Amino acid sequence: MAADLTDFGNWLAVPSVVFLWAAVLLRAPGALRSPQQRGLWLAVATAAAAMTLNLPDVVSYAMSRGAAYAHSIGLVRNLIGVLSAGAVLYFVAATTRGRRLRLASCAATAAWLTALVALDAAAPAHGTHTMPPVGDPVPSLAYWLVLISAHVIANTVCVCLCWRYSRRTESRGLAAGLLLFGLGTALAGLFWLAYLVKALFANTWAMPALPLLMNLHGTLRAAAILVPTLFTLRRTLADIATAWRLWPLWRDLVDAVPHVALNKPRSGRVAELLWPPVPRNLLVYRKVIETRDAILVLGEYVRPGALEQARGRAADHGIPEQRRTAAALARVLKDARRAKLAGLPGRPGEAAALELPAAIQSSNGGGDLADEARFLVDVAEAYTSPATTEEVNAP
């Protein structure tokens, strides 16, 4: 059972490291521009470097090159690990906006690194740094106690503060990122506590689980820094879906009132989404604004009272109350668009022009852009429904 656990942990090593590096490279542009995310990104990047040097194949290669080479790789790996622990503390300090904690994390990291280099230099000649199942730690017990203390202290502080602030924040993305990072850090803490028990009491019962703990920690930390990317991707997909559903209504209205469009429309719906004429994050915003402006103009071609009559017909057809205004608006927009394209005279004037925007405002209580977009999606669905088309085309 213990051997199987170790084998599974070792098998997970390469996927975990690949996932870590992918997350690090993907988040690098945004994280390096943000002081709040810089510490988190550095913590994960240094953890990825340390875990890369700890891969079984890398360790075997280092051992095959001789004791001096293996020693250099082991020392660099441990120094990078301590730098990762310091970056964890710095990330926590940046998240909590604690200036003293930031200074303390930098000072502690420098002290830990200096102590490790000094203890390594003072130890007798040795090869790779290791905690063997039997025998004394290499290069010395003091070296390993300093190394373990750095990780245990940093991980404990990080887990406590991640847990506390994930419960206080109102941002779902930040809460998810803190929980994932805290959970990964807790697994790393258990990893180093097992080493502490081994160093002090020569107890090896937890050693078979260590590869699994370390590689799960890497996977969770990678997931933590990808949370903003996943939330951005979700928003992008939601915007694409909204723009796709708005397109038939928007295209018909812009055909009738072309001057409301900021840019010349693309030839088709797919082209509009793949190569939008505006920045992608403004696509839905422009569609909503241009649709609203077109509705303002077409309001001059709507008979007084036509919207209420259309609402009554929608009620007669059994359309639910919450969708009745959208269905009625779709009905009168078809009439208004046909009148505009036929060259019929409009009725410029405040009363006629304000009737349709009032319908939008009444449907969402004067809400934000997202509310208006949802309402216009309902209008677009009703606008393209066969029932609305048949009713408009009826004599």
Side-chain angles (χ1 to χ4, degrees):
M1 181 66 181
D4 292 340
L5 193 63
T6 302
D7 290 342
F8 179 69
N10 289 329
W11 173 85
L12 191 61
V14 172
S16 176
V17 168
V18 170
F19 187 30
L20 269 171
W21 281 118
V24 165
L25 295 176
L26 189 62
R27 290 296 303 156
L32 293 177
R33 290 193 299 265
S34 171
Q36 289 77 21
Q37 297 181 30
R38 202 173 296 149
L40 174 62
W41 182 87
L42 180 60
V44 178
T46 48
M51 290 177 64
T52 300
L53 293 177
N54 199 42
L55 288 172
D57 289 344
V58 175
V59 173
S60 298
Y61 175 76
M63 296 291 289
S64 69
R65 293 287 301 273
Y69 191 85
H71 164 260
S72 300
I73 293 295
L75 179 60
V76 170
R77 179 177 64 239
N78 290 338
L79 293 178
I80 293 175
V82 170
L83 186 60
S84 177
V88 166
L89 284 178
Y90 187 86
F91 155 67
V92 172
T95 302
T96 59
R97 295 177 175 85
R99 184 173 180 273
R100 290 184 179 180
L101 185 55
R102 284 201 297 270
L103 294 175
S105 67
C106 294
T109 303
W112 283 324
L113 292 173
T114 303
L116 288 180
V117 172
L119 289 169
D120 179 77
H126 56 278
T128 188
H129 297 181
T130 183
M131 183 83 69
V134 179
D136 295 330
V138 179
S140 66
L141 177 61
Y143 176 95
W144 278 92
L145 290 178
V146 170
L147 178 62
I148 292 169
S149 68
H151 287 283
V152 170
I153 292 171
N155 291 338
T156 301
V157 173
C158 179
V159 170
C160 292
L161 292 181
C162 282
W163 172 253
R164 179 190 302 175
Y165 283 93
S166 67
R167 300 178 68 186
R168 291 183 180 180
T169 182
E170 297 180 357
S171 169
R172 293 173 57 195
L174 179 57
L178 287 173
L179 284 174
L180 286 170
F181 195 82
L183 182 56
T185 303
L187 294 179
L190 292 176
F191 175 93
W192 289 106
L193 283 174
Y195 265 119
L196 181 62
V197 171
K198 168 63 175 68
L200 295 179
F201 307 108
N203 193 318
T204 60
W205 67 270
M207 301 300 281
L210 296 192
L212 181 60
L213 289 175
M214 181 52 63
N215 293 317
L216 284 177
H217 133 270
T219 301
L220 289 171
R221 282 192 173 180
I225 67 170
L226 284 178
V227 165
T229 301
L230 294 177
F231 272 71
T232 300
L233 178 62
R234 188 180 71 169
R235 285 195 300 270
T236 300
L237 293 177
D239 285 349
I240 289 174
T242 299
W244 178 271
R245 297 167 72 185
L246 281 176
W247 194 86
L249 173 66
W250 169 84
R251 192 70 174 86
D252 271 10
L253 299 191
V254 167
D255 277 345
V257 192
H259 69 270
V260 302
L262 178 66
N263 303 94
K264 183 179 179 180
R266 303 292 190 201
S267 58
R269 193 188 319 199
V270 174
E272 184 80 19
L273 295 180
L274 292 180
W275 301 282
V278 296
R280 190 171 297 279
N281 61 329
L282 297 178
L283 184 59
V284 171
Y285 173 79
R286 287 306 315 169
K287 290 287 183 288
V288 170
I289 296 300
E290 291 167 5
T291 302
R292 181 202 301 164
D293 290 346
I295 289 174
L296 279 168
V297 175
L298 292 177
E300 300 176 1
Y301 294 85
V302 177
R303 304 186 316 275
L307 188 61
E308 288 306 314
Q309 293 176 10
R311 280 180 57 85
R313 285 195 294 272
D316 293 341
H317 285 86
I319 297 176
E321 174 65 30
Q322 63 270 22
R323 299 175 67 90
R324 204 167 290 166
T325 299
L329 183 54
R331 166 71 172 79
V332 298
L333 281 175
K334 277 189 174 286
D335 276 338
R337 176 179 180 275
R338 184 168 60 180
K340 173 75 166 55
L341 292 176
L344 300 178
R347 290 187 298 275
E350 186 175 354
L354 290 180
E355 187 175 4
L356 296 180
I360 295 176
Q361 294 172 7
S362 68
S363 72
N364 60 27
D368 58 12
L369 181 73
D371 295 326
E372 189 168 346
R374 281 190 289 270
F375 173 69
L376 289 177
V377 165
D378 290 340
V379 175
E381 290 179 353
Y383 185 88
T384 56
S385 71
T388 302
T389 303
E390 290 173 5
E391 186 179 352
V392 170
N393 292 334

